[in-house]
Amino acid sequence: MAEPLWNYSIKCPFCEAKFETTRMRTSAIRTKELMSDFGNIFEGECPYVYAITVCPTCSFAARNSDFEKIRVQSEAKIMAASKQLRLSTKPKPDIFKLGPSTPEVAVKRFELAIAFYKMRYVVEMGVLANMNLHVVWLYRLAGNKEKEQLALAQAAAIYEEYLAKAYTLPESLGEPGVIYLIGDLTRRQGKLKEARRLFESALASKEIKDYPKIADMSRDMIQLIKDEMEKTSQTA
Ligand SMILES: [Zn+2]
């Protein structure tokens, strides 16, 4: 079987430097379990660790799928940042290294990419929210509970903003799915009452009939919270 990691040769659309970046083969991805906030647990290498491409010359970073597709002509702010960063003589940190990486390094790559997405001509809230959710999963993979809690709060806030501004929501989730997700990010922060209210609100969504799986998951979560609350009231 082919090695899960390989080095892809690529050209930066902003500074035009050629470089290599480590990617994970799709055929090597082994999903083990789906978590309640839609992240996956994998057997072997985790593809989230290799999801971002970073240019070692000017630091421009984006999701692998977007890196070469960005329309340079429309992105004056990123071009200015790329020019500025190219001049930097600071030593390059390990986020640019090739080969096997870690969730900690991947978080830094995601954070850099998030900063560039915020500079884009059109800021896509859904993309930003999804990237922040990846940061949550990566901290969980690293076993860093404290940082995961901070990332959960941040991801929940961005999904709330995304929902409130009523951008087109991902079809796979719809309104009920996004509310459910905010509910689970809230539950994972230990805010059980608020989470229960959100799961109930997912069930009350007009679109819930089109999302039977989300309905089941929301009901399961309401039950889980009920059990959890009863347990704590008994021990108190
Ligand atoms: Zn570059």
Side-chain angles (χ1 to χ4, degrees), residues 192-224:
L192 297 185
K193 277 187 190 159
E194 200 181 325
R196 186 172 63 188
R197 192 182 50 75
L198 284 155
F199 293 128
E200 282 163 355
S201 149
L203 286 171
S205 164
K206 272 184 234 145
E207 294 175 28
I208 193 70
K209 278 196 181 69
D210 300 328
Y211 296 92
K213 193 148 179 261
I214 297 290
D216 284 346
M217 290 167 87
S218 300
R219 279 188 212 102
D220 287 351
M221 282 302 176
I222 290 168
Q223 189 58 46
L224 188 88

Side-chain angles (χ1 to χ4, degrees), residues 12 14-17 55 57-60 82:
C12 174
F14 289 95
C15 73
E16 299 191 330
C55 168
T57 301
C58 76
S59 307
F60 170 63
S82 159

Side-chain angles (χ1 to χ4, degrees), residues 72-91:
V72 176
Q73 310 88 305
S74 322
E75 305 293 352
K77 270 193 210 163
I78 299 182
M79 185 52 100
S82 159
K83 280 193 179 139
Q84 196 67 40
L85 289 162
R86 237 175 284 173
L87 302 172
S88 166
T89 50
K90 278 191 201 142

